[in-house]
Amino acid sequence: MNRTTRVTRPSFGMQVFVGMAIGLLLGFVARHYAIAGLADGLRIVGEMFVQLLKALVVPLVFTAIVASIAALRDLDNAARLVAGTFLWFAITALIAVSIGLVLGTILQPGAHAGVTLAAAVRPDTAGSWLDFLRGLVPVNVLALEASTRLADGAAKTSLSFNVLQLIVAAVAIGVAAVRVGEAGAPFLAFNASALAIFRRILRWVVRLTPIGTGALLGSAVVRYGWQSLSALGTFAIAVYIGLALVLFVVYPLLLIANGMSPRRFFAAAWPAIQLGFVSRSSIATLPVTEQVVEKGLGVPRSYAAFAVPFAATTKMDGCAAIYPAIAALFVAQYYNVPLHGSDYLLIVIVSVLGSAATAGLTGALVMLTLTLSTLGLPLEGAGLLLAIDPILDMGRTAVNVAGQALVPAIVAKRQGLLDDTGAAAPAIA
């Protein structure tokens, strides 16, 4: 009698952690033994993974936002739901940034940093209020921008996109498609079909996360070394304490205050939170977040189709609230720049109002430079923190995704739309 032994594939999360461990080991080997080929290989693989995610951001954000606007047609109380969604965006962001400011003040991460000024490099991407306001006006329908720079003695032209402009354009097109009635129906049907196709492609790219994340961490070790990474330990601890407080204290308290079960919420939302942690992208997690919000938490499809895609591009408690608050205090403490009450208030305002600037894969860096420029702090301070950014980004994105599931559930509950009998969300495929 022949018996077939079935090999159980490790869970997706375990695959990612194994990939991270291998990446860190390869990074150590490449740096310690000065193996240029291995270092270049890690860098190239990491960059290719990020490029694949970036390639999907424009079509995914555009089609998801248009679909979310179209979904409002089926809601009788659309205005109240939209207003409630943005109100809870602001409330949770306010709480998160307050926690960041308290932790940054108590732990003083900038005063205990072991990094040198040589690591203070002005980042290529920076945010300012002028850029934020100007970015509200799309330069074209897909918000694509061409830039030319000199590299190796030759001019190279590349295309980039502004996700904030893309959101504005998608909202306008979605509203117009709904308002024109039957004439817009074919376009909305095409958009829904395109969204389904791009989500399928996204699932294929997400399966590469163990390789991509490992390569990115290994490349960080090669570039910065263990000494630079360990020197920022106090800052990393402060950030993760803040993230843990928001995720495991603030969110459960908000759920209880609104008559919901934290145990049920985390049981349903954990697949999305887990994927956000390992993929480091709210956009990549969007399909899973929609599944857990609808099937696991019982939010009606008509509302979730609007709230979740919008939240995935503008609701960032980790990147836009906790992180910039602690990081701004870190930079001020490192450069010995005193901050006053008005400065703390500015950090709160920037975090609550400027969260839309965090859309995309470089969101945390844009938000940090926006905060630093508002306070008049050296932008080079952002360069001090780049060494451990991949590690921090995992926790930041997990909190982002949790908040993106939390707000629609709370709003639906307060509006009497929540179906508490919903089944648990499916695991990550």
Side-chain angles (χ1 to χ4, degrees), residues 225-250:
W226 290 109
Q227 185 174 0
S228 296
L229 296 176
S230 61
L232 293 168
T234 304
F235 175 75
I237 291 172
V239 171
Y240 266 94
I241 289 175
L243 295 172
L245 286 174
V246 171
L247 184 59
F248 298 116
V249 178
V250 173

Side-chain angles (χ1 to χ4, degrees), residues 18-379:
V18 170
M20 290 168 57
I22 295 174
L24 289 172
L25 178 61
L26 292 177
F28 173 78
V29 172
R31 182 178 176 88
H32 184 73
Y33 295 102
I35 305 176
L38 180 56
D40 290 339
L42 290 170
R43 177 181 56 81
I44 292 172
V45 171
E47 289 177 351
M48 288 174 62
F49 177 67
V50 173
Q51 286 174 358
L52 284 173
L53 286 175
K54 281 186 174 181
L56 289 172
V57 167
V58 170
L60 271 173
V61 171
F62 182 86
T63 54
I65 294 297
V66 171
S68 71
I69 297 300
L72 292 176
R73 295 177 301 176
D74 302 325
L75 296 176
D76 296 330
N77 54 345
R80 280 209 313 271
L81 287 171
V82 172
T85 301
F86 285 110
L87 175 63
W88 279 97
F89 280 5
I91 290 174
T92 51
L94 179 61
I95 296 173
V97 70
S98 299
I99 290 175
L101 290 175
V102 171
L103 286 173
T105 302
I106 294 175
L107 297 179
Q108 297 280 309
H112 303 98
V115 289
T116 63
L117 281 173
V121 180
R122 191 182 183 95
D124 295 330
T125 303
S128 69
W129 281 111
L130 181 59
D131 292 333
F132 176 75
L133 294 175
R134 186 168 49 200
L136 292 173
V137 182
V139 293
N140 53 62
V141 174
L142 294 180
L144 293 174
E145 298 176 351
S147 59
T148 303
R149 61 185 179 87
L150 292 176
D152 300 327
K156 294 186 177 181
T157 301
S158 59
L159 289 175
S160 61
F161 58 88
N162 184 313
V163 179
L164 182 58
Q165 292 182 7
L166 185 64
I167 293 172
V168 173
V171 169
I173 292 174
V175 171
V178 171
R179 293 295 298 271
V180 296
E182 289 298 323
F187 170 77
L188 294 176
F190 170 79
N191 182 82
S193 177
L195 177 58
I197 293 171
F198 287 121
R199 282 181 174 174
R200 174 62 64 176
I201 297 174
L202 175 63
R203 288 180 61 182
W204 296 341
V205 175
V206 167
R207 298 308 308 173
L208 301 175
T209 298
I211 299 173
T213 300
L216 289 170
L217 289 178
S219 182
V221 172
V222 173
R223 182 175 180 181
Y224 300 104
W226 290 109
Q227 185 174 0
S228 296
L229 296 176
S230 61
L232 293 168
T234 304
F235 175 75
I237 291 172
V239 171
Y240 266 94
I241 289 175
L243 295 172
L245 286 174
V246 171
L247 184 59
F248 298 116
V249 178
V250 173
Y251 287 173
L253 289 176
L254 290 176
L255 289 166
I256 293 172
N258 286 279
M260 302 171 65
S261 168
R263 180 187 297 273
R264 183 176 182 275
F265 172 81
F266 282 107
W270 196 253
I273 296 173
Q274 177 190 1
L275 180 57
F277 182 83
V278 297
S279 70
R280 298 170 49 207
S281 171
S282 294
I283 296 297
T285 314
L286 174 58
V288 179
T289 307
E290 281 196 326
Q291 288 183 37
V292 302
V293 168
E294 295 172 23
K295 299 179 181 179
L297 298 176
V299 177
R301 168 67 182 169
S302 55
Y303 170 54
F306 158 75
V308 178
F310 226 97
T313 54
T314 60
K315 174 60 181 164
M316 310 284 177
D317 285 344
C319 293
I322 300 171
Y323 177 74
I326 298 178
L329 295 186
F330 171 92
V331 173
Q333 293 159 6
Y334 183 84
Y335 286 99
N336 199 25
V337 177
L339 296 179
H340 305 92
S342 58
D343 298 313
Y344 283 79
L345 181 60
L346 274 177
I347 294 175
V348 172
I349 294 173
V350 170
S351 298
V352 175
L353 298 182
S355 60
T358 65
L361 298 174
T362 57
L365 180 60
V366 172
M367 192 64 197
L368 174 56
T369 54
L370 176 63
T371 306
L372 294 180
S373 62
T374 301
L375 296 173
L377 295 172
L379 290 180

